[in-house]
Amino acid sequence: MEEKPIDQEWKKGSAELLLLSLLEALPRHGYEISKLIEQRSHGALRFHAASLYPLLYRLEKRGWIQGRWVEKSGQRRRRYYRLTAEGRKVLASQRQGWQAFVEAINRITGVENA
Amino acid sequence: MPDWNEKVRRQLVDLKLAPGREAEIVEELAQHAEDRYRELKSGGATEVEARRIAIEEIGGHQLLATELRAVERLNAPEPLILGAASRGRLPANLGQDLRYGFRTLRKNPGFTALAILVLALGIGANTAIFSVVNGVLLRPLAFPDPGRLLMIFETTREFSQISVAYPDFLDWRRQSRSFTDMGVFRSDDFNFTGSGEPEHLAGEYVSASLFPVLGVTPLLGRTFLPQEDRQGAGCAVILSYGFWKQRLGADQNILGKGLTLNAASCTVVGILRSDFRFRGNAQIYIPIEHWNSFELHTRETRPGLHVIARLRSGVTIEAAQAEISSICKGLARQYPKTHAGAGATVVRMKDDMVGYIRATLLLLVGAVGFVLIIACANVANLLLARSTARKREFAIRAALGAHRGRIVRQLLTESVLLSLGAAAIGLLLARWGTSLILAAAPESLPRSEEIGIDPYVLLFTLGISVVTGILFGLAPAFQGANANPNVSLKEGTRGAGGGRHRAENVFVSVEIGLAVILLAGAGLMMQSVWRLLRVDPGFNTRSVLTTEVALSPNVMSSPPGIRLAYQQLVARVASVPGVQAAAITSLVPLGEEDSETLFWPGAGPQPPQDRTPLALFFIVTPDYPGVMRIPLRRGRFFTERDSLAASPVVVIDEVMARHVFAGQDPVGRQISIMMLGPVRIVGVVGHVKYWGLDSDDDAKIRDQIYFPLLQVPDQFMSAGVSGLTPVMRTTPEPMTVVSGVRAQVAGPTQDQPIYSIRTMEQIISGSLAERRFTMLVLIIFAAAALLLAAVGIYSVMFYAVSRRTHELGIRVALGASRQEIVRLVLWQGVRLAAIGMSAGLVAALSLTRLIARLLYGVRPADPLTLTSVTLLLGGIALAACYIPARRATSIDPVIALRWE
């Protein structure tokens, strides 16, 4: 099968899920989040600042994540985002929805896990 | 290293974020960019390359700004920091509100059209009335510093304002210090010959000081010089712009040329400007000293002279009044025979011109205001009804974080849009309405030529449309903003908030109440006019033609010539086919002029003036009672034999007979008349309601004396009796004989034009013009109010029935009969109407007192009128409720119960 870049629309729809997932374990700042996405997707997914931060602000406004300025000794202060209780619930339900979605697509397109 | 902060900030400029928020975003993104830059460099990129990539990632192609705009727009408004400059979000939001408003209104064309139409009626009517009020009452007179222009009238025991004797004017002018100067004028008619057809001109005799007092400069030439305003000086004339243009072809070389006026040649010295507006429509102005009449230089008569003065700056009108009063006291001491008890009163010129009509116009302003309130209530109800359907929309907006104020503003924007649309149509209606008003307005409406749509009127229209927009939009807006999203979203569109219906009911009741008031006013005016038209004026008004005539200058030179000319005139007019009888009189009943004389019983000397009564004084020819059908009560009327050769005789009316002779037969008795001496009474005729159908009964001077034209002594038979009026009784419609009369009157020399041709019925109707006008306008307003109120109650009941479909369905299912359903719905409507009508009746009881001045033979609280108004409105309200009630009976319970 031919390698294709992951479709822009899929990326957009799943971006929220990605961000929430990355914040599940511990608070992170924006640059860290963008690096993690790039690394863990082996370079297939990349979020530039221009779209990453507006998305973070949007989630924050919805109350799913919360940003806080943290100062560590010897470093400039950075803004760390952590998942709120509500965000945790949303993550769970989105994750579930995503899995159902992927399974449904797979069943139709016949793509089977190896 | 690049200044990342600056690079990020530049991206955000257009977003106009709150300063605090902007700083946070800048800090966070600059850090990111810096980290990225370092990373790229450590990965082997050149400095230039690293910088290019980092910059692109934080916002190439405006991506950051676009993304942020979507997010930050939903941000809470910037916190208010006292003293900080506002960054004004309003214009952006207003644009959004307007766009959204337009879209909403366009989506409901039916609703929008109805609302705009209703409002356009209200706004148009208000604009029309305001343009009249603006032109007549508000606009200052078109003279420099018009506030200091005053009129000065004489006062007597009988008259609170009367014209002035010329010698008195000269004394006032000499003695007073409160005025920069004063001038005098007297309207008269002129016979213009020598340049084509003979023509009658309206003119004014004026003192040379008049134009300077008014502050008027001519278009061409000059105003009068003092030496031109002297007896014996050559006649000078100033022309109105209209006369110069239309009659003389705007001849640029007219100055210094002569015009033949009343057989004398007058030199043109000036042309007035086109915008010069003085009382009446004079075509020419002549110095007053050229008025060739014995009346000019006597204090014994007050022959229609009016005085205008300009108040010196720094002098109050009260001080001027005090000074002129003290001058009059001096004159009264000096001339006790004619001036005992006489004084003077000072009135602002504008008040004198428009004062009497002010109350009527303000009354109409009030009435038309009611129409606008009714229109507003109607549209408010339409909006309320619609807001039910929009409840979900407001709820969603509230759930998305729209503030209450924001929703109120959105709804107010929509209603102001509606009213501005209505204002545009209203202006067109107003233009049309204003010409309608002018057509219906009494001829005497002052300053009517100044009525029109000017910037003030436009401003007024804009003002009331914005105010009305807010007024009728407020209740629905708060209703919409108060929607609880939780309740509304669950409820769907069927739900009913109690408050909304309370507001609807209040609006309908207010509409009906105001309609009651307008109907009551219109009803009372109709009754008054109807009763007045049935008043017997003391003579038969049908088939009587009156006209004025300018005698040929050839006959004006000698008193016997004038006398003969009038005699021949009557004979010639009487010979016109269709004319039954013709006569001449000095005074036409209910006309604009009056003339009184002092008299006393017997042939003795005149008693002191304060004990000498006044009587109306008619100079007539023998057939006058026959033409007017004034009944003869005793003795005889005049014949051709009552001439200068015979002893002087008079006929008096029955009121004077009772008043002076108290039950005794006056025929054969003597009375003395000022300036004429002793005369013998030969007859008594019926009383004529000279002063007006309504006001004659209360007039101070009701005694009437008729004197034969043929006995007028030579010294008075000149200009003093030039303004005599031929009157004739006709067999056909009076106006059909006019051409015959015109031909006969023109005379052998073809130089006696007739003018001011009116039937007696037109004169009577003219005397009621102000009342008729008020009545007509009130009827139109009341009809509009009635229509709007009917539409209002109909639409409220219509929506009420739709709302109750479910409930009514249950009732039908449980066995309610059609009659019961109809009764149920009708009862709801009747209750609303009854509340409105009772409130309206209470208000009408006190408000109709405002038109008491215009009422005749009917009290403001006339039970008949108020009852009929109530019945009429009740009937219409019932009819308006009946259609929705019928609709309710056709509800199918099965469908209604399923209807969610």
Side-chain angles (χ1 to χ4, degrees):
Chain A
M1 212 175 128
E2 207 180 48
E3 279 280 330
K4 268 189 183 172
I6 292 175
D7 191 280
Q8 289 293 316
E9 287 307 307
W10 291 20
K11 185 170 132 187
K12 225 177 197 172
S14 53
E16 289 180 9
L17 178 57
L18 294 179
L19 259 54
L20 294 174
S21 313
L22 288 174
L23 296 177
E24 189 181 21
L26 70 164
R28 302 178 198 276
H29 56 77
Y31 190 69
E32 197 182 349
I33 295 170
S34 79
K35 286 281 98 183
L36 279 172
I37 291 174
E38 197 181 347
Q39 283 164 12
R40 292 193 183 170
S41 69
H42 304 292
L45 294 174
R46 287 184 54 181
F47 273 80
H48 293 324
S51 41
L52 174 67
Y53 287 93
L55 185 54
L56 283 169
Y57 300 155
R58 194 191 300 270
L59 298 184
E60 186 174 24
K61 196 149 290 154
R62 288 187 197 151
W64 296 352
I65 61 175
Q66 192 179 37
R68 202 151 54 97
W69 291 99
V70 177
E71 239 168 327
K72 291 185 177 162
S73 56
Q75 284 184 14
R76 285 171 314 177
R77 65 174 194 160
R78 283 183 180 276
R79 194 162 164 82
Y80 282 83
Y81 295 90
R82 68 170 184 81
L83 210 54
T84 63
E86 199 182 343
R88 218 166 280 281
K89 278 186 222 155
V90 173
L91 174 61
S93 98
Q94 283 203 1
R95 194 174 264 151
Q96 213 175 7
W98 180 257
Q99 269 159 8
F101 176 66
V102 172
E103 277 166 27
I105 297 289
N106 286 348
R107 272 199 296 280
I108 294 163
T109 56
V111 180
E112 293 294 336
N113 288 336
Chain B
M1 207 167 67
D3 180 358
W4 297 110
N5 280 348
E6 187 42 43
K7 298 246 180 293
V8 175
R9 188 168 293 121
R10 218 179 294 153
Q11 304 262 345
L12 306 180
V13 171
D14 288 343
L15 294 177
K16 297 190 165 48
L17 297 172
R21 179 67 185 145
E22 190 186 77
E24 264 192 347
I25 295 176
V26 167
E27 185 179 349
E28 194 172 13
L29 277 144
Q31 268 177 30
H32 183 105
E34 196 186 316
D35 289 345
R36 180 74 176 132
Y37 173 76
R38 282 177 207 273
E39 185 202 340
L40 286 163
K41 263 180 58 181
S42 64
T46 67
E47 192 158 324
V48 178
E49 213 177 350
R51 183 204 306 219
R52 186 184 55 77
I53 294 174
I55 290 175
E56 209 174 277
E57 287 182 357
I58 54 167
H61 312 291
Q62 289 288 312
L63 185 60
L64 177 64
T66 315
E67 293 279 352
L68 274 179
R69 182 169 286 129
V71 183
E72 296 296 322
R73 262 290 165 79
L74 297 169
N75 224 344
E78 188 172 333
L80 260 182
I81 300 161
L82 286 177
S86 157
R87 305 273 300 266
R89 271 284 199 55
L90 192 70
N93 280 346
L94 188 63
Q96 204 182 25
D97 284 352
L98 285 175
R99 276 194 303 277
Y100 189 76
F102 268 121
R103 229 182 300 143
T104 318
L105 295 178
R106 240 197 353 241
K107 260 195 312 200
N108 300 284
F111 162 83
T112 306
L114 182 62
I116 286 186
L117 191 71
V118 167
L119 284 172
L121 273 177
I123 291 176
N126 273 270
T127 302
I129 292 290
F130 178 78
S131 66
V132 173
V133 169
N134 178 50
V136 175
L137 297 186
L138 300 183
R139 232 189 253 184
L141 299 178
F143 299 111
D145 203 358
R148 291 202 281 132
L149 286 176
L150 307 173
M151 301 282 301
I152 311 178
F153 295 94
E154 292 205 47
T155 60
T156 64
R157 280 171 297 143
E158 293 83 7
F159 295 98
S160 59
Q161 284 184 4
I162 188 171
S163 61
V164 177
Y166 188 62
D168 291 349
F169 159 72
L170 295 177
D171 284 332
W172 291 352
R173 189 169 175 221
R174 236 187 337 262
Q175 295 177 32
S176 65
R177 295 287 166 270
S178 303
F179 310 98
T180 58
D181 201 353
M182 49 175 88
V184 71
F185 65 92
R186 177 185 191 275
S187 308
D188 210 333
D189 302 308
F190 294 86
N191 203 337
F192 172 46
T193 47
S195 162
E197 258 179 53
E199 202 176 331
H200 155 261
L201 301 184
E204 299 277 352
Y205 284 113
V206 300
S207 65
S209 56
L210 184 78
F211 289 115
V213 164
L214 291 173
V216 169
T217 52
L219 178 70
L220 291 178
R222 53 170 174 81
T223 56
F224 295 122
L225 305 172
Q227 58 266 29
E228 283 167 335
D229 188 15
R230 293 213 182 110
Q231 269 184 313
C235 174
V237 60
I238 292 177
L239 311 178
S240 79
Y241 181 86
F243 177 68
W244 173 62
K245 183 132 192 245
Q246 282 145 34
R247 196 64 183 72
L248 304 171
D251 179 3
Q252 292 288 329
N253 302 314
I254 189 79
L255 295 181
K257 287 189 184 166
L259 296 184
T260 307
L261 296 165
N262 287 355
S265 178
C266 296
T267 309
V268 178
V269 299
I271 310 291
L272 295 168
R273 293 176 190 280
S274 60
D275 60 354
F276 173 73
R277 301 211 196 293
F278 195 52
R279 314 154 64 95
N281 293 310
Q283 294 158 293
I284 57 164
Y285 298 82
I286 301 236
I288 186 130
E289 291 274 0
H290 289 270
W291 184 34
N292 178 25
S293 166
F294 77 96
E295 291 181 282
L296 186 62
H297 292 285
T298 174
R299 291 187 204 261
E300 295 191 338
T301 69
R302 297 184 173 88
L305 271 69
H306 297 280
V307 173
I308 293 181
R310 186 174 278 278
L311 200 61
R312 203 179 280 285
S313 73
V315 179
T316 64
I317 191 166
E318 292 77 18
Q321 171 70 63
E323 187 193 36
I324 207 85
S325 293
S326 95
I327 294 174
C328 285
K329 280 207 183 90
L331 292 176
R333 274 192 300 276
Q334 213 173 337
Y335 310 100
K337 200 174 138 200
T338 52
H339 282 53
T345 180
V346 172
V347 185
R348 287 188 196 282
M349 186 164 159
K350 191 169 149 195
D351 290 344
D352 176 57
M353 282 174 81
V354 302
Y356 78 96
I357 199 96
R358 179 175 291 141
T360 303
L361 288 182
L362 292 183
L363 176 82
L364 297 183
V365 168
V368 81
F370 283 0
V371 175
L372 186 62
I373 294 176
I374 295 176
C376 279
N378 242 333
V379 175
N381 265 351
L382 284 174
L383 284 175
L384 277 174
R386 200 177 59 137
S387 76
T388 313
R390 293 181 69 181
K391 247 178 173 175
R392 267 173 169 278
E393 175 199 332
F394 304 139
I396 289 169
R397 299 187 65 179
L400 287 176
H403 287 246
R404 207 181 126 171
R406 191 75 177 66
I407 292 183
V408 168
R409 218 175 71 196
Q410 171 63 46
L411 289 173
L412 285 183
T413 307
E414 279 173 32
S415 52
V416 170
L417 270 179
L418 270 182
S419 62
L420 286 179
I425 298 176
L427 266 180
L428 292 179
L429 287 178
R431 275 187 67 134
W432 177 71
T434 307
S435 40
L436 206 70
I437 290 174
L438 285 180
E443 261 178 67
S444 57
L445 181 70
R447 308 182 76 194
S448 57
E449 69 283 351
E450 294 184 49
I451 294 169
I453 290 178
D454 68 357
Y456 290 102
V457 174
L458 290 178
L459 207 65
F460 170 83
T461 309
L462 186 70
I464 58 163
S465 56
V466 170
V467 170
T468 22
I470 292 173
L471 208 67
F472 71 71
L474 268 183
F478 278 103
Q479 201 75 55
N482 279 338
N484 179 342
N486 254 335
V487 178
S488 306
L489 288 174
K490 268 188 241 149
E491 204 175 39
T493 53
R494 191 175 57 88
R500 185 165 95 65
H501 309 312
R502 256 201 311 282
E504 259 174 17
N505 294 346
V506 169
F507 287 148
V508 166
S509 300
V510 166
E511 281 179 44
I512 290 179
L514 293 176
V516 167
I517 298 171
L518 287 177
L519 279 172
L524 290 170
M525 285 308 299
M526 279 165 73
Q527 278 212 53
S528 300
V529 170
W530 185 78
R531 276 166 206 255
L532 275 169
L533 287 175
R534 263 145 201 78
V535 168
D536 176 12
F539 62 96
N540 187 332
T541 61
R542 310 234 1 228
S543 302
V544 175
L545 189 70
T546 76
T547 170
E548 296 197 26
V549 60
L551 281 190
S552 162
N554 300 323
V555 306
M556 293 293 282
S557 46
S558 80
I562 299 175
R563 214 176 277 121
L564 185 68
Y566 276 124
Q567 259 180 304
Q568 290 171 345
L569 191 75
V570 173
R572 282 208 304 275
V573 169
S575 73
V576 172
V579 175
Q580 274 179 17
I584 279 181
T585 178
S586 58
L587 293 177
V588 176
L590 301 130
E592 291 83 26
E593 290 170 2
D594 60 88
S595 172
E596 294 82 23
T597 185
L598 291 167
F599 73 91
W600 57 95
Q606 183 187 339
Q609 204 204 16
D610 50 355
R611 268 184 275 144
T612 317
L614 277 169
L616 274 165
F617 190 66
F618 296 78
I619 298 169
V620 297
T621 55
D623 275 339
Y624 182 70
V627 171
M628 302 299 273
R629 302 258 161 94
I630 299 170
L632 184 68
R633 302 288 189 220
R634 274 172 186 283
R636 64 170 179 92
F637 207 73
F638 312 130
T639 67
E640 297 290 334
R641 284 189 300 278
D642 295 313
S643 66
L644 276 178
S647 64
V649 293
V650 293
V651 169
I652 63 172
D653 80 321
E654 55 197 350
V655 168
M656 177 163 163
R658 267 198 307 276
H659 172 214
V660 180
F661 299 98
Q664 292 167 300
D665 187 0
V667 174
R669 307 274 292 261
Q670 265 200 334
I671 58 170
S672 295
I673 292 176
M674 176 101 159
M675 295 199 283
L676 287 174
V679 294
R680 189 165 48 88
I681 298 169
V682 294
V684 177
V685 292
H687 177 75
V688 167
K689 297 215 168 188
Y690 184 81
W691 297 108
L693 295 177
D694 57 332
S695 49
D696 190 82
D697 295 348
D698 307 320
K700 282 184 179 148
I701 300 171
R702 298 189 71 227
D703 296 350
Q704 293 169 349
I705 298 176
Y706 294 88
F707 188 76
L709 177 66
L710 292 183
Q711 291 190 333
V712 174
D714 281 358
Q715 70 264 34
F716 304 134
M717 199 70 211
S718 56
V721 288
S722 64
L724 295 181
T725 304
V727 291
M728 57 220 86
R729 176 160 293 276
T730 63
T731 322
E733 229 350 78
M735 280 300 180
T736 59
V737 305
V738 169
S739 60
V741 170
R742 191 189 303 277
Q744 279 298 329
V745 170
T749 43
Q750 293 289 310
D751 57 357
Q752 298 191 132
I754 61 172
Y755 57 95
S756 297
I757 301 151
R758 291 182 298 174
T759 68
M760 204 59 227
E761 283 176 327
Q762 285 171 337
I763 294 177
I764 297 261
S765 143
S767 77
L768 300 178
E770 192 192 344
R771 274 202 184 83
R772 272 174 189 272
F773 173 64
T774 313
M775 172 187 81
L776 194 71
V777 178
L778 280 182
I779 288 177
I780 292 173
F781 290 169
L786 196 61
L787 181 73
L788 289 176
V791 169
I793 194 164
Y794 170 79
S795 61
V796 164
M797 293 311 299
F798 187 87
Y799 278 109
V801 168
S802 336
R803 254 192 332 263
R804 292 174 74 182
T805 304
H806 191 70
E807 174 212 324
L808 293 172
I810 293 177
R811 287 179 188 270
V812 174
L814 292 178
S817 70
R818 288 169 67 92
Q819 285 93 329
E820 278 166 331
I821 296 289
V822 169
R823 212 178 304 135
L824 193 71
V825 175
L826 280 187
W827 172 237
Q828 191 185 351
V830 166
R831 221 176 41 203
L832 282 183
I835 294 171
M837 285 195 291
S838 343
L841 279 176
V842 171
L845 279 177
S846 57
L847 283 175
T848 47
R849 255 180 272 155
L850 293 177
I851 54 169
R853 186 180 65 89
L854 293 170
L855 296 185
Y856 179 82
V858 57
R859 284 179 301 124
D862 179 47
L864 178 69
T865 308
L866 294 181
T867 314
S868 359
V869 161
T870 314
L871 286 179
L872 175 67
L873 198 56
I876 285 184
L878 213 61
C881 295
Y882 186 67
I883 302 168
R886 276 295 301 270
R887 194 168 156 270
T889 62
S890 61
I891 290 171
D892 181 338
V894 180
I895 296 172
L897 291 175
R898 223 189 287 144
W899 194 66
E900 268 302 315

